[in-house]
Amino acid sequence: DLRPLIIEYNTQLRETRRKNRWREGIRIFREMKDLGIPPDIITYTSLLSVLGRSNQPELLLRVFRMMLSDGNITPDAISFSALIDGLVRSNRLGEALGGFAEMQRLNITPNAFTYSSIISGLAERKEWQRAGE
């Protein structure tokens, strides 16, 4: 049973998010994969969060696509919110809105954090009209 190892690695990833150490997060994720320890939704979401907070939009998108291609992972509102927030933080509002549209297409209900990120991005650009949509 690999669950205890997955939990340990997820704990380490959450710590990288707390300390804003995206390079360490990537290293932990790679080590996990190299050892044959399968990432779960928490693994991906933690990594997405640290990448988003660290202004690493290309890596953020790459990891999100990797998560989507992993046959064992189904994205949820939390993982989409981490993606959307990271894109908004990187001034990539169009891509964030695309992520929001994809979330809706997949019938994933946005949470308060999702809406907050989108509204903040729109408000920052003074796009008040779109914020009401």
Side-chain angles (χ1 to χ4, degrees), residues 22-54:
W22 68 269
R23 284 184 180 88
E24 188 176 340
I26 293 290
R27 182 195 59 74
I28 291 167
F29 183 77
R30 284 187 180 143
E31 179 179 307
M32 211 176 157
K33 301 270 284 181
D34 289 347
L35 293 173
I37 301 168
D40 63 9
I41 188 68
I42 296 168
T43 310
Y44 280 108
T45 302
S46 295
L47 187 55
L48 290 169
S49 183
V50 72
L51 292 171
R53 290 177 182 204
S54 302

Side-chain angles (χ1 to χ4, degrees), residues 4 7 20 25 36 40 49-51 55 61 66 76-78 81 92 94 103 106 112 114 117-119 121 123 127 130:
I7 292 169
N20 225 16
D40 63 9
S49 183
V50 72
L51 292 171
N55 197 23
L61 289 165
M66 189 184 309
D76 59 12
I78 299 168
S81 294
R92 293 173 81 157
M103 186 179 189
L106 295 172
T114 315
S117 295
I118 294 290
I119 292 168
E127 295 188 34
R130 289 177 75 185

Side-chain angles (χ1 to χ4, degrees), residues 12-97:
Q12 290 178 38
L13 277 170
R14 278 194 300 273
E15 187 66 14
T16 67
R17 182 187 67 203
R18 193 178 68 73
K19 294 181 178 178
N20 225 16
R21 294 183 176 167
W22 68 269
R23 284 184 180 88
E24 188 176 340
I26 293 290
R27 182 195 59 74
I28 291 167
F29 183 77
R30 284 187 180 143
E31 179 179 307
M32 211 176 157
K33 301 270 284 181
D34 289 347
L35 293 173
I37 301 168
D40 63 9
I41 188 68
I42 296 168
T43 310
Y44 280 108
T45 302
S46 295
L47 187 55
L48 290 169
S49 183
V50 72
L51 292 171
R53 290 177 182 204
S54 302
N55 197 23
Q56 297 297 318
E58 297 305 324
L59 285 172
L60 175 73
L61 289 165
R62 187 180 321 160
V63 169
F64 192 80
R65 284 190 292 269
M66 189 184 309
M67 180 182 70
L68 291 178
S69 68
D70 184 322
N72 299 314
I73 305 294
T74 302
D76 59 12
I78 299 168
S79 57
F80 264 102
S81 294
L83 171 73
I84 290 166
D85 184 62
L87 291 170
V88 167
R89 287 173 184 259
S90 297
N91 295 315
R92 293 173 81 157
L93 184 60
E95 289 168 284
L97 292 171

